[in-house]
Amino acid sequence: MSSTEELRHTALDALHRVLGATMTDFAGWDMPLRYGSERDEHNAVRTKAGLFDLSHMGEITVTGPQAGALLNFALVGDLAAVGVGRARYTMICGADGGILDDLIVYRLADTEFMVVANASNAQVVLDALVERSAGFDAEVRDDRDAYALIAVQGPESPGILASLSPRVSTSLDPGGAPIADLDGLKYYAGLPGTVAGVPALIARTGYTGEDGFELFVKPEHAVELWQALTKAGEGVGLVPCGLSCRDTLRLEAGMPLYGHELSTALTPFDAGLGRVVKFGKEGDFVGREALAAAALRAQEQPPRVLVGLVAEGRRVPRAGYAVVAAGAVIGEVTSGAPSPTLGKPIAMAYVDAVHAAPGTPGVGVDIRGAHEPYEVVALPFYKRRK
């Protein structure tokens, strides 16, 4: 953003400052980076629970008789096949197959979907959906200002939320739409309900590798809900968490971050995520021809593979550092950080397929001219116990 543009503030901004958060510019938003120790925040999510303000994410509502058909044309997934109350991870690509963003799409009703884009790409996604909606009986609406988004992540999160949510005895509200029953809310589902008396879309998704919930509420209810969640979590170790530990949590869980593991220079097949492209769905979609060629290319000549790297020493690799073997560059680090859970520096990197097998010997990272030894491992680095 230019120096003349002002940072945007979430509905929880004043509360973050009262809590002593270190704030940072993220995609034009003034967001909490950490409240105290990012390691303590990270470990709280792994062992207890963490509370995140994610109100910078971009919500886009798509409604109308052909909403599903529009999304099938605009995105690479089969969104028309998603059941009401369920969610799907997908991507939006350019005509050349390059990834514009990775998305979560919630089906809220037969003719209503909510697309959640990354903050840095929200305008790009909105513009693309509006452009691609031509000819469809569907409306694309920018709802970024209509929601605050609060996430509760960690093994204690179901209990915290259950203490604030009324148990429901039916799966339908009086109008016939599904409503959230926490006991039955599956992973990658999202349904309307109430939390601490606040109306919310309750989604069981996340970006930490832990069980957890994301709560979409009106901005005017955000402070009330945050305070209720904080109080409910006092006895089980819930702490406020910033974006810094969110990044190390997703890195340990092997989850891609746009601008690092994903970009317009890569197709889903280059990123090892070709499974999200549904060629079998009805009708054409943007990028189909280019993606079909990318799929064939990946079969004939495997692209670089996204792998995990674990340091033998203490030096931390960063995005852009070269991965080397036998004096030659064989790949590039996309994300790197100290891992609080493993107690060692870790990284994700794209490497030549011949060097991608776990345990491949002789692999290192060029850190300021020194080739530091690293072990190649399968992703994710961390997987929670079910």
Side-chain angles (χ1 to χ4, degrees), residues 60 67 74 131 135 204 210 238 305 329 341 348 352-353:
I60 302 164
E131 180 182 349
R204 198 166 201 163
E210 298 297 338
L238 176 127
V305 178
V329 175
T341 303
M348 288 198 284
D352 295 340

Side-chain angles (χ1 to χ4, degrees), residues 34-49:
R34 68 181 71 84
Y35 297 85
S37 160
E38 54 200 49
R39 176 180 290 271
D40 289 346
E41 292 171 21
H42 178 112
N43 289 334
V45 175
R46 285 280 177 257
T47 62
K48 297 171 184 175

